[in-house]
Amino acid sequence: MRKRLAFVPLYLLLVGAAPAPPAPTPTEQIAMASVRAHVEFLADDLLEGRDTGSRGHAIAARYVASRFREMGLEPGGTNGSWFIEVPLRSATTAATPTVTITTPGGTQSLRWAADVTLRPSLTEAHRALTAPLVFVGYGLDEPLLGLDDYHDIDVRGAIVVALDGTPNGLPTEIAAHVGSTRAEAAARHGAVGLITLAGTGRDRGDVASGARPATSWIDPAGRTGDSSGLRARLTLSPDWQRKIFDGAPTSLKDIRAQVVTNVRPTGFALPGRITLNADSSWTDFTSPEVIARLPGTDPVRASENVVLMAHLDHLGVKPDAQTAKSGPGEDRIYNGALDNAAGVATMLEAAREFVASGRRPARSILFIANTGEEKGLLGADYLAAHPPVPPSSIVSVVDLDMPLPLYDFTDVIAFGADHSTLARTVALAGKSMGIGVSPDPMPQESIFVRSDHYSFVRRGVPAILLMTGYANGGEPVWKHFMAKVYHSPADDLSQPIMWRSLARYGMLNYAIARALADDPARPRWYPGDYFGDRFAPGEPRASRLAP
């Protein structure tokens, strides 16, 4: 990596000018040395960015396993090992597909990457398909929210055409989840394909992006992380988005005008049909989840599991094509020091503190270093679909993703805590350390549904994503990081990392996990919470008003 002078923003200089804190206690010194050692190893250039399936990631996984072994934890992987190898597949377009549209006016061939692209298939090496087109509004089907865009529309064997986005008025987290289920809804109603259109008054989207490689897990039974099972996912150019509505009861222009005025478009059959022929090529590989278990001691609760997880993977090395214009010497390694070597370090620190306490928890603890987060939450999703313990035994998940130990944090954000009693657990643990819990400062980002814990939420498990908060100078630090450092080679060890801050975050992780493991009651969803009602119907609820 090229050496360079560190740029220190003014706000960091101002934060650094505050009165010096008391000297670290011996306990803090041990924690600081521990988290620093982990981050410095995992974010070293020699690991080449820990890309999923890479040698660097495999080395990182073995490092984490060695730390678990050193602590005396039990392996939680396959056949007594520390690992569950996630079977992954990357699909690419093998040759230029042919796509034609037939309308009453005749048949026209679409130009690949200019008029149309087709997502590579993870399950069909060759696809030959002819299907009619049916417009389905937003293409959503969620009875809990009164959404039924398939009412009185027959889409069996069809390629459905749907607006992206969701109707106005839904909370952002719920809207993000429901929007992500569009393909599943289409398949559930018998469709074989999906075309998604811009749902605003302007055309947008890069047609060529629709042909990017597709990567997911694929298990021995042939099931993949793409649970929809659709055979075709197409992207059309703005021009062809309009053309497929020629001769239809309503034009695309009028449909978009309805959306602007908050009128819900209704569905109808379109006059055309699509024929496609396409080949996909596959590369199969594996990447490990690293799992350790600390057995509980309670005769009843020891069979239950609290999960503390953090993703170990990052983005690898910048491809040559992206560095060609920069010349020699450019930093090409995505070290991922804070995203997410820091999260893994604090998970390991929490595990160390459990062992150092000399007091085993009542419930068992699973410590998991996930793979494939940066490729679409793949490792955690595979694990949630193929858990190493009975699914009903997992009582809660705490996900540690990208803490920012660049300031003396005084609060944390527990994304998703407002859905379950995990809110009280985090608040009490934070209070014991003088750390507050703040509401989500960026609800528009729907962060609750965008990290590894969400794969477990979809299986009914109360879960949170924990990050350092905006208080005490945190807001400008976060904004600078997200604008200038996030997912760039600048997320490396040259940053002014405050090891005491990171150690404190690890100690908080321990306090939260300890409380969850020793609490006589399991975490519960709140009554009327959408995610609880969707994914854990019939499970007991806990009042928001309880102390």
Side-chain angles (χ1 to χ4, degrees):
M1 179 182 300
R2 182 181 63 183
K3 298 292 184 181
R4 60 183 178 182
L5 294 176
F7 169 70
V8 183
L10 177 60
Y11 61 80
L12 289 181
L13 294 175
L14 294 175
V15 171
T25 66
T27 298
E28 288 178 318
Q29 289 176 343
I30 293 172
M32 290 168 63
S34 174
V35 295
R36 181 170 187 169
H38 300 321
V39 173
E40 288 183 340
F41 183 91
L42 295 173
D44 192 276
D45 280 3
L46 291 174
L47 271 67
E48 297 182 332
R50 309 187 307 278
D51 193 12
T52 300
S54 70
R55 182 174 183 270
H57 179 271
I59 293 170
R62 280 154 180 76
Y63 173 84
V64 171
S66 71
R67 301 284 73 79
F68 285 149
R69 185 186 297 277
E70 180 183 47
M71 297 174 200
L73 303 182
E74 294 183 358
T78 305
N79 299 325
S81 76
W82 299 100
F83 310 109
I84 291 180
E85 291 288 341
V86 179
L88 298 166
R89 173 171 290 172
S90 179
T92 57
T93 302
T96 302
T98 61
V99 182
T100 62
I101 291 184
T102 300
T103 66
T107 298
Q108 290 183 265
S109 295
L110 276 62
R111 297 168 300 161
W112 181 252
D115 299 327
V116 65
T117 49
L118 174 69
R119 187 175 187 262
S121 174
L122 291 158
T123 56
E124 290 185 88
H126 176 73
R127 286 174 288 173
L129 175 67
T130 297
L133 300 175
V134 180
F135 176 64
V136 290
Y138 287 102
L140 304 178
D141 179 16
E142 177 47 279
L144 292 178
L145 302 173
L147 300 175
D148 184 8
D149 288 332
Y150 288 88
H151 181 68
D152 290 336
I153 302 176
D154 184 1
V155 300
R156 288 172 294 180
I159 294 174
V160 298
V161 179
L163 300 169
D164 73 351
T166 59
N168 292 334
L170 295 178
T172 55
E173 291 177 347
I174 295 175
H177 164 72
V178 173
S180 72
T181 65
R182 186 174 285 107
E184 294 176 19
R188 193 165 57 247
H189 286 273
V192 296
L194 171 66
I195 298 170
T196 303
L197 310 172
T200 66
R202 67 190 193 282
D203 294 324
R204 59 186 173 91
D206 176 12
V207 177
S209 69
R212 289 172 182 162
T215 302
S216 187
W217 58 261
I218 181 161
D219 68 15
R223 295 171 297 186
T224 77
D226 179 3
S227 58
S228 74
L230 291 177
R231 296 186 64 199
R233 301 279 292 271
L234 298 105
T235 302
L236 293 179
S237 68
D239 186 43
W240 272 102
Q241 288 179 28
R242 292 188 293 270
K243 284 182 178 181
I244 61 175
F245 285 83
D246 288 348
T250 308
S251 70
L252 183 55
K253 179 180 178 181
D254 289 342
I255 290 170
R256 286 175 168 156
Q258 292 175 0
V259 170
V260 170
T261 59
N262 293 327
V263 174
R264 288 277 304 281
T266 56
F268 49 80
L270 293 168
R273 68 180 184 272
I274 282 182
T275 297
L276 63 87
N277 279 273
D279 294 324
S280 297
S281 60
W282 300 330
T283 300
D284 291 343
F285 60 105
T286 65
S287 189
E289 294 278 291
V290 192
I291 306 172
R293 184 170 182 266
L294 178 61
T297 58
D298 185 86
V300 176
R301 287 176 286 166
S303 63
E304 299 177 336
N305 294 276
V306 171
V307 174
L308 198 61
M309 63 167 49
H311 77 87
L312 181 60
D313 65 295
H314 197 53
L315 300 175
V317 180
K318 185 181 293 188
D320 290 339
Q322 295 181 16
T323 61
K325 296 181 180 180
S326 302
E330 182 187 1
D331 184 354
R332 299 177 56 214
I333 298 176
Y334 295 97
N335 301 86
L338 303 186
D339 182 17
N340 186 40
V344 174
T346 56
M347 178 191 67
L348 289 170
E349 173 57 20
R352 187 195 67 79
E353 293 195 32
F354 267 105
V355 174
S357 73
R359 180 168 61 91
R360 294 248 300 273
R363 290 187 177 88
S364 299
I365 312 284
L366 291 179
F367 300 96
I368 303 175
N370 290 317
T371 188
E373 192 271 352
E374 300 289 6
K375 294 188 181 298
L377 320 183
L378 299 184
D381 192 64
Y382 181 82
L383 199 68
H386 307 80
V389 295
S392 61
S393 75
I394 302 175
V395 303
S396 59
V397 173
V398 179
D399 186 9
L400 311 173
D401 191 355
M402 204 169 74
L404 292 193
L406 304 174
Y407 61 105
D408 184 16
F409 75 95
T410 58
D411 72 325
V412 292
I413 304 161
F415 296 97
D418 54 335
H419 301 297
S420 71
T421 57
L422 288 172
R424 296 199 289 268
T425 304
V426 175
L428 289 173
K431 185 178 181 180
S432 70
M433 296 178 59
I435 297 171
V437 181
S438 299
D440 182 353
M442 37 188 161
Q444 72 283 358
E445 298 295 335
S446 305
I447 289 176
F448 176 57
V449 303
R450 290 173 50 192
S451 195
D452 282 333
H453 65 286
Y454 196 61
S455 295
F456 289 85
V457 170
R458 289 173 61 95
R459 273 80 177 180
V461 180
I464 58 169
L465 169 65
L466 196 68
M467 290 183 176
T468 51
Y470 270 24
N472 199 39
E475 182 174 2
V477 174
W478 268 103
K479 290 184 176 179
H480 175 264
F481 182 87
M482 296 302 293
K484 303 293 184 181
V485 180
Y486 175 67
H487 279 193
S488 81
D491 182 12
D492 61 14
L493 293 169
S494 70
Q495 298 173 92
I497 298 173
M498 299 174 62
W499 302 111
R500 187 176 190 175
S501 181
L502 189 60
R504 193 162 179 250
Y505 181 76
M507 296 164 73
L508 175 63
N509 299 336
Y510 165 71
I512 293 170
R514 168 66 74 178
L516 291 171
D518 290 347
D519 194 327
R522 293 172 64 129
R524 296 297 183 190
W525 297 98
Y526 288 139
D529 180 79
Y530 169 77
F531 295 100
D533 292 347
R534 164 48 53 215
F535 299 118
E539 291 292 321
R541 299 292 192 258
S543 171
R544 292 178 182 269
L545 303 179

